[in-house]
Amino acid sequence: MTQHHNTTHYGVRKDCAIAVLSRREVVSVAPFAGVAMALPASAGEADPVMPIYRKWCAARAEWDRLSKLPGGENSDTPEMLAVSDVEFSAVDALGEVAPTTWEGAAALLHVFWEYKGPCSLSEAGDAYEEEVNRYDRKLIQALWRGASGKSGLPRTV
């Protein structure tokens, strides 16, 4: 390639504030560039994930409410089974759509966290802390924080 006095051997102007990346550096960040371009910075259009996610959140809240009523420890009552059907139908539907916004990506990560996050029932104690700090769960947390713009552990978007 011919070099001109005001360009580098990559053809980038020397007086521009553009960093020249090696091929290895470009290849290493390429997958993330695709994600960044695929999801718009703002939620201008409706994300197909969000209505399903809200349905899932409502079902989880209703299941929690029912479980606190007298006899709620019996999860095979018609009411509990109906709510569970709604919850898992929503999960199935979420597995069929792709997020189009960061909000949708954060919602999917929250659902994923609820099923693959810590198993301990109590957030107090060493077992919970160990489970939260497992490498795979820390990656889910990092993705959720990046997608949601929030800090802490994955929670409702």
Side-chain angles (χ1 to χ4, degrees):
M1 177 178 218
T2 307
Q3 290 186 356
H4 299 284
H5 71 284
N6 199 23
T7 61
T8 68
H9 67 284
Y10 292 106
V12 177
R13 288 180 45 161
K14 289 179 183 176
D15 59 344
C16 289
I18 298 174
V20 177
L21 299 175
S22 71
R23 185 182 325 210
R24 181 175 294 169
E25 290 167 323
V26 170
V27 169
S28 71
V29 299
F32 301 105
V35 169
M37 290 187 301
L39 297 174
S42 65
E45 292 183 24
D47 190 309
V49 166
M50 296 313 295
I52 304 166
Y53 174 70
R54 287 185 197 97
K55 188 176 183 178
W56 176 83
C57 287
R60 298 275 294 195
E62 180 62 8
W63 194 94
D64 190 51
R65 186 189 73 75
L66 290 171
S67 71
K68 292 176 182 169
L69 295 175
E73 65 279 352
N74 183 5
S75 61
D76 62 356
T77 64
E79 296 85 5
M80 296 288 269
L81 291 172
V83 170
S84 290
D85 284 347
V86 171
E87 175 186 349
F88 290 107
S89 292
V91 171
D92 288 341
L94 286 169
E96 298 298 321
V97 296
T100 59
T101 64
W102 289 112
E103 180 185 35
L108 285 179
L109 286 161
H110 172 232
V111 173
F112 189 60
W113 177 261
E114 288 298 319
Y115 297 111
K116 293 297 183 182
C119 299
S120 296
L121 296 177
S122 171
E123 291 187 13
D126 294 337
Y128 181 81
E129 203 59 38
E130 279 181 39
E131 292 174 12
V132 165
N133 288 312
R134 277 184 31 178
Y135 71 92
D136 53 343
R137 292 183 180 138
K138 291 192 75 75
L139 293 172
I140 298 169
Q141 294 168 46
L143 287 167
W144 180 82
R145 286 191 309 269
S148 70
K150 298 178 181 179
S151 60
L153 300 177
R155 300 287 188 237
T156 304
V157 176

